[in-house]
Structure formats: structure tokens, C-alpha cells
Amino acid sequence: MKELQTFTDEKVDSNDLKIFLGNLGIEFTDQEKEKLLKTLPIDAAGKVYHNRLLKGVKSLNGGKVHVNNLDNTLKKLGLELTEEELAKLSKNLQVDANGMVGLKEVMDGVKATTDDNKVFKNRLLDGVKSLKGGKVNMNNLGTVLNNLGIKLADMELKDLAENMHVGVDEKIPLEIKVIPLENSTDGKHHRFYR
């Protein structure tokens, strides 16, 4: 359905590219505009689907955005960040003397906090961490913990597995508390509670 929508939305005249980009708050050089046009599937009437154009803009290694317009530009590109995510992104950007930042750098920063630019991994993981229920297959425990940002040594994972109540379905409750041991000299050893 996502790909189908790409072909069923309204079209933009390729001659209006400068206006379209301006409305997004993105500045391209003439060479970057030409490069973008070469990558787009433009029909015989000189038009391109709106979503295809947005996809091309997001993937092109060029263009600049004014840092003060960043939130608005991202929203127009279909990427809504929370205030915290936007602040974190803005903090790490290289802004030039004119207040501009490279679109590629912005998109790379957004990708670092998103999954396929749709589901924000950090939000998802925070939600999973706060769950008070659910179960994890014992065979996937290491992967699940790693994805939650909990890095365990093999011995720690083995210790955890041995001290957890595993049901007949080979699953354990997701609600696990991981506390670093105070006397750990390397800060890598943990105690596990359920």
C-alpha cells in the first residue's frame, strides 16, 4: 500500500521544482536540482508524483536547510520529531555562518533515531522498557536485551537464564530489572531481578 500511494498521489510539475523546494524550506544549487531531476520518474507531461519527489529529495546528497526552519521542513517531509528528539538532532548538526545545515546531515541524523523513517526506535524501545507484561522466548533473550540497550557478557546472560522462571512455552516474563553491581570494577557486571 505504501508503494501504491507513491503512484496515486497528486503530481508536481518539474518546472516548479524551485517553488516546491522553497515551500519545503530547502535550498538546492542548480547542479543539485539537475541531479534530482535526473533521478525522478518524470512523465511525458513533465510531472512527477509528489511522494516520489519527496523521496528523491530525502535521498539526495545535497541541499541545505536553515536550522531555524528545521522542524517545519522535517514535518513537510513527513518526519515529525518530538521536541527532545529535535533538540538532540539540532545539537549535533554543523551549522554554517548563514545558519544553514546540509540536508544529508539532517537526514542522517534523523535516520539515527528512526526505523525506516516511520517508527522511532527510541520511542519504541522506551515503550517496551516500560511494559509491565509480555514474554520473551528464551532463545531470543540476548537479542531482546541488546536491542533494549542492555549489553551483557555471555556469563551474565547465562546467569540470567539460570535464575529466571521459564514457562512450559520456553518464555520468560519481559519485566526484568537490570542493576549494575556496585563492586564491579569494570562496570560491566549486573544483577537481575524480576
Side-chain angles (χ1 to χ4, degrees), residues 49-174:
Y49 286 104
H50 181 264
N51 283 347
R52 292 295 290 253
L53 181 52
L54 286 178
K55 190 174 182 179
V57 168
K58 288 190 276 189
S59 65
L60 189 67
N61 293 336
K64 290 192 173 196
V65 179
H66 198 282
V67 72
N68 292 340
N69 198 31
L70 194 56
D71 187 35
N72 189 37
T73 298
L74 289 173
K75 282 179 182 173
K76 288 181 179 180
L77 289 172
L79 303 165
E80 291 200 40
L81 300 178
T82 64
E83 287 182 31
E84 182 181 322
E85 290 164 337
L86 186 61
K88 183 178 177 184
L89 172 66
S90 299
K91 179 180 160 187
N92 295 317
L93 296 175
Q94 299 291 336
V95 182
D96 69 17
N98 297 319
M100 303 296 281
V101 63
L103 182 61
K104 181 181 182 333
E105 183 182 352
V106 171
M107 295 311 298
D108 288 346
V110 170
K111 286 177 187 174
T113 60
T114 67
D115 181 3
D116 192 28
N117 293 337
K118 299 294 178 192
V119 178
F120 293 89
K121 283 194 255 187
N122 292 342
R123 291 185 206 166
L124 179 62
L125 292 178
D126 286 345
V128 170
K129 287 179 184 178
S130 67
L131 283 178
K132 299 292 185 209
K135 292 186 175 189
V136 175
N137 187 304
M138 213 37 211
N139 295 332
N140 299 330
L141 182 59
T143 302
V144 170
L145 291 174
N146 193 39
N147 288 339
L148 291 172
I150 303 170
K151 312 279 189 235
L152 300 178
D154 289 341
M155 295 253 323
E156 292 172 319
L157 189 57
K158 183 180 177 190
D159 179 48
L160 174 62
E162 290 173 356
N163 291 301
M164 298 303 298
H165 179 292
V166 181
V168 292
D169 58 357
E170 291 293 311
K171 294 184 178 182
I172 59 172
L174 185 60

